[in-house]
Amino acid sequence: MKKFVNAIDQLIPQSLAGFVSAHGSLVSLGGDGKFIQRKNLSKGKVALISGGGSGHEPLHAGFVGLGMLDAACPGQVFTSPTPDQMAEAAAAVDTGAGVLFIVKNYEGDVMNFDMAAEICGSTIEKVITDDDVAVERSTWSTGRRGVAGTMVVEKIVGAAAEAGASLQACAELGRRVNAATRSIGVALTSCTVPAAGKPTFDIDENELEFGVGIHGEPGRRRVSMKSASEIAEEMADSIRIDFDTAQGRALLLVNGFGGTPMIELYLMYGELRSYLEKAGFEISRSLVGNYVTSLEMAGCSATLTLLDDQLSGYWDAPVNTPSLRWGM
Amino acid sequence: MKKFVNAIDQLIPQSLAGFVSAHGSLVSLGGDGKFIQRKNLSKGKVALISGGGSGHEPLHAGFVGLGMLDAACPGQVFTSPTPDQMAEAAAAVDTGAGVLFIVKNYEGDVMNFDMAAEICGSTIEKVITDDDVAVERSTWSTGRRGVAGTMVVEKIVGAAAEAGASLQACAELGRRVNAATRSIGVALTSCTVPAAGKPTFDIDENELEFGVGIHGEPGRRRVSMKSASEIAEEMADSIRIDFDTAQGRALLLVNGFGGTPMIELYLMYGELRSYLEKAGFEISRSLVGNYVTSLEMAGCSATLTLLDDQLSGYWDAPVNTPSLRWGM
């Protein structure tokens, strides 16, 4: 294993120090390094907090800022943050309108965010994301896993909070976006958790993990490597079958897991879009890039969110974070 | 080799088709796929065109749009585009104020952009970037290589062109930015050119290529793997020594080559910034991410550009491209 590290146990704090130093106008480090917080809080706005294991960057810290999150709580690589992180973050960013926790559906994350809600003094609502259609339960989750669709929830609810929506309205909107979102991922290689020092799983030179999780958890099945078009067709089918209807406007997010070049992600975007359009979806919004990663894993996921005028408007609304910036 | 491809010879055209379909409001495909062009040209503005081998995305196509490039000409992976691509792009985007070619210093690129200048009907100036301090000549270059500093030239000159600078002024500014810019890169792994099907170079599990080029060309030397801090110190030293002065405001770009996770890039940013500040530079602008890549190579580069008020202002100016967006 070769990585840019000094000591493994210093990787996350040193990385966070670099992060806030690079983006000092947008974010700062709070609670002795326990969380990243937005620099200019909007008084009376519902505060949005997310978090989870590190290794998925830019999720979540890269999405702290105007129009998205107010704080992000990073755990060690692929390890839940602790309840005191979320509780301290809530105390730091709650300006009186309450706090919404956006939590990916992994047992550790859900449990620790729940404990944080109990010990912190804020009024808390939570949205649990579970957009991954691959499997109904997995290594660290009961029920579906929360994956790249989480950033769509963060963006849309972030815009609503910025526009003055109440805590209850933000929570309901988040659940509605999650319910309108489906994702599926495939991996060509594993990734290596620094503290483990060896690849999370073995995969042959001619194999593909269909339905992989964002920590390298097993998906639906291991299959022989296929053409991009064949892979995209099966991904699009998995999403289409899971929706009741295959009609209407939608956002298509093609997300890289970290180790796949952009030329391949754009090729996959073209293939996925083509299959989804044939299935009846109208792709009216798009995003392509490495947004919810699995360290240096080669692979990608497709996320489809059904849109109406309200959701499109919130998606288009200004955002100013380290890793997502538009409209201002 | 596992990649998301259908047929190798269709990788670039299919990827470009996906790219313009994902970013249809900003860019379109011109000349039967020979180039990517900005959708809304500004009449009377100097046209900026760059290009080069594919595999470095988002450079250059990801930087086509308001405040940066008017067209980008992609070759095959790590292979120069042909003169007719640049000539046709010039004809398409020249609105009367002339065309500036921004060319990375590789023999094929320089020759083909020169031939394009001869055969096209536009008034042409050119800026050659050669910011890589690693070596004085390399596999495909006489003189220093043009690497990540190229995007700094594109951003700053793009803002000047948008503000109405003349062709001559844009060319002089581009040369001035290039002269104020130094880069150095390190690789932990190779990358695999799809048409070759095997890694470009071999590197052991405990080795690092110091001064690597963005096509995997050899750098200064092969060294044993070291801590992030030690690597950053040698990178910062290489840049500092190459400047006449180690004082003044500067932009620090920490660029990933594709296969290095963001947590490591931010850790390296913190280390590099610390060494460069100790050396006397004041880091007043920062950018961290995968901007000038080498397919899925693990590694990163540091680029330092000395700034004055004019260059800082152009850096901060609005930009609206698929891969760089701020201020609007």
Side-chain angles (χ1 to χ4, degrees), chain A residues 1-2 23 188 205 328, chain B residues 1-2 188 205 266 328:
Chain A
M1 177 189 68
K2 278 190 288 188
H23 303 290
L188 306 191
E205 187 47 43
M328 55 185 309
Chain B
M1 177 188 68
K2 278 188 289 189
L188 306 191
E205 187 48 43
Y266 278 115
M328 57 185 308

Side-chain angles (χ1 to χ4, degrees), chain A residues 1-6 10-12 14-15 18-19 21-23 54-55 57-58 77 186 188-189 203-208 225-231 258-264 266-271 273 286 288 295-296 298-300 322-323 325-328, chain B residues 1-6 10-12 14-15 18-19 21-23 54-55 57-58 77 186 188-189 203-208 225-231 258-264 266-271 273 286 288 295-296 298-300 322-323 325-328:
Chain A
M1 177 189 68
K2 278 190 288 188
K3 289 179 183 283
F4 293 108
V5 291
N6 294 309
Q10 289 303 303
L11 168 56
I12 300 306
Q14 290 180 350
S15 176
F19 177 77
S21 137
H23 303 290
S54 293
E57 290 69 23
V77 172
V186 296
L188 306 191
T189 70
I203 184 163
D204 279 353
E205 187 47 43
N206 62 349
E207 285 180 335
L208 162 82
M225 191 59 195
K226 299 186 284 191
S227 72
S229 179
E230 290 167 310
I231 297 167
T260 288
M262 292 298 284
I263 41 175
E264 297 176 47
Y266 278 115
L267 187 152
M268 284 299 284
Y269 170 86
E271 296 285 354
R273 178 174 180 148
S286 299
V288 182
L295 296 167
E296 70 285 345
C300 70
S323 297
R325 226 172 358 173
W326 63 61
M328 55 185 309
Chain B
M1 177 188 68
K2 278 188 289 189
K3 290 181 183 282
F4 293 107
V5 291
N6 293 309
Q10 289 304 302
L11 167 58
I12 301 303
Q14 290 181 349
S15 176
F19 177 78
S21 137
H23 304 289
S54 294
E57 290 68 24
V77 172
V186 296
L188 306 191
T189 70
I203 185 163
D204 279 354
E205 187 48 43
N206 62 348
E207 285 181 336
L208 163 81
M225 191 59 195
K226 298 187 285 193
S227 72
S229 179
E230 290 167 312
I231 297 167
T260 287
M262 292 297 285
I263 41 174
E264 297 176 46
Y266 278 115
L267 188 152
M268 285 298 285
Y269 170 86
E271 296 285 353
R273 177 174 181 148
S286 299
V288 182
L295 296 167
E296 70 286 344
C300 71
S323 297
R325 221 163 14 165
W326 62 62
M328 57 185 308

Side-chain angles (χ1 to χ4, degrees), chain A residues 165-177:
Chain A
S166 69
L167 178 59
Q168 194 56 44
C170 286
E172 282 167 14
L173 178 66
R175 288 173 202 129
R176 184 158 79 85
V177 175

